[in-house]
Amino acid sequence: MRSREELIEVLGAPLGDLATDGALFAEAAEVRDRTVGDRVYVRGLIELSNRCRKNCLYCGIRSGNGEVERYELTDEEVLEAACGAWSAGIGSVVIQAGERTDEAFVGRIERLVGALKRRSEGALGITLSLGEQTAEVYRRWYRAGAHRYLLRIEASSPVLYGRLHPADHRYERRVVCLEALREAGYQVGTGGMIGLPFQRVEDLADDLLFFRRMDIDMCGMGPYIEHPQAPLAAVRSDFTREERLQLALRMIALLRLEMPDINIAATTALHALHPRGRELGVAAGANVLMPNVTPEVVRGSYRLYEGKPADDTDLSGFRVVRDRAWGDAPHYASRRAASKSEE
Ligand code: 5AD
Ligand code: SF4
């Protein structure tokens, strides 16, 4: 395990040529091969709706952006997208949407998860990424059949978090949600953005320490990319886009070395900044891909940032697990076993 100072030293090394980090990335990839395997797991990403009650300053689909055409997929469209993924050999899906907490939405998700489970006779793995909810809602969705949940902390520094969000978005609440998810039984994923305005390499080192302290099972990190209709785009980041990409790869590699047996995604934002961004992510230690399987008619509307790839389903450059395995992180099983033996 590296100390905070050591993490800062690696993250703060001069940025430039992607090849300068070759030894770090190779070591991380080797650790990945030995712990979670040398093949990547694939999840089909279904973007259920771009309606959101939140107003994060960096995001293109924030509630304050009146220029977005809002959509919501029907249950039938979601079932069809999931079936399509299944036919393509994908054993698990991620249902993602902007945040909504009204009972109509909560109940709908509960029924939808149940329907997906029944339709697949329990075989389809279901991950949710639907923002902050009460512990009871998390439990309802878990009972309905979801078993993994993604909720990025975005920035683990409360001060930085405060600068990226309106005052009524609470950092503490997000941490409470991550704890409630774990309590409910989910495999818990978090993560953040890299190269944000106001962010320093010290903050990134603290993100890694936060992930370790929270004992997470999964992580998704990607470079921050400006969205022209989001207010944060008016603030300059200290890092160019190339530097953000390189820093994101360093973060993936360091996290793999710190937490060898978790699942780490090579995210779409890497792909948005570089045509081979996901390949670079895997070469730096990532082991999960989340190609978008949302029906094409609405795909352009879930625009969190500029330059999001229109089609990322070509996985020909990857060695992929094809047996529809859920691909749980070994970390989940070992932390469950450890907590049982403590009881
Ligand atoms: N750049 C990069 N990632 C973004 N996200 C939201 N807006 C942006 C942006 N401008 C990420 C957040 C969120 C995830 C769904 O997308 O980290 O958790
Ligand atoms: Fe909503 Fe998520 Fe965008 Fe924030 S980042 S505005 S919660 S969709």
Side-chain angles (χ1 to χ4, degrees), residues 52 54-56 58-63 97-99 154 302 304:
C52 187
K54 288 282 186 71
N55 209 12
C56 307
Y58 43 82
C59 179
I61 63 170
R62 63 203 299 270
S63 54
E99 190 173 300
E154 312 297 0
Y302 204 88
L304 303 170

Side-chain angles (χ1 to χ4, degrees), residues 58-60 96 152 154 193 223-227 269 304-305:
Y58 43 82
C59 179
Q96 184 167 79
R152 289 185 177 185
E154 312 297 0
M193 287 172 286
Y224 162 69
I225 306 170
E226 291 82 356
H227 188 289
L304 303 170
Y305 47 80

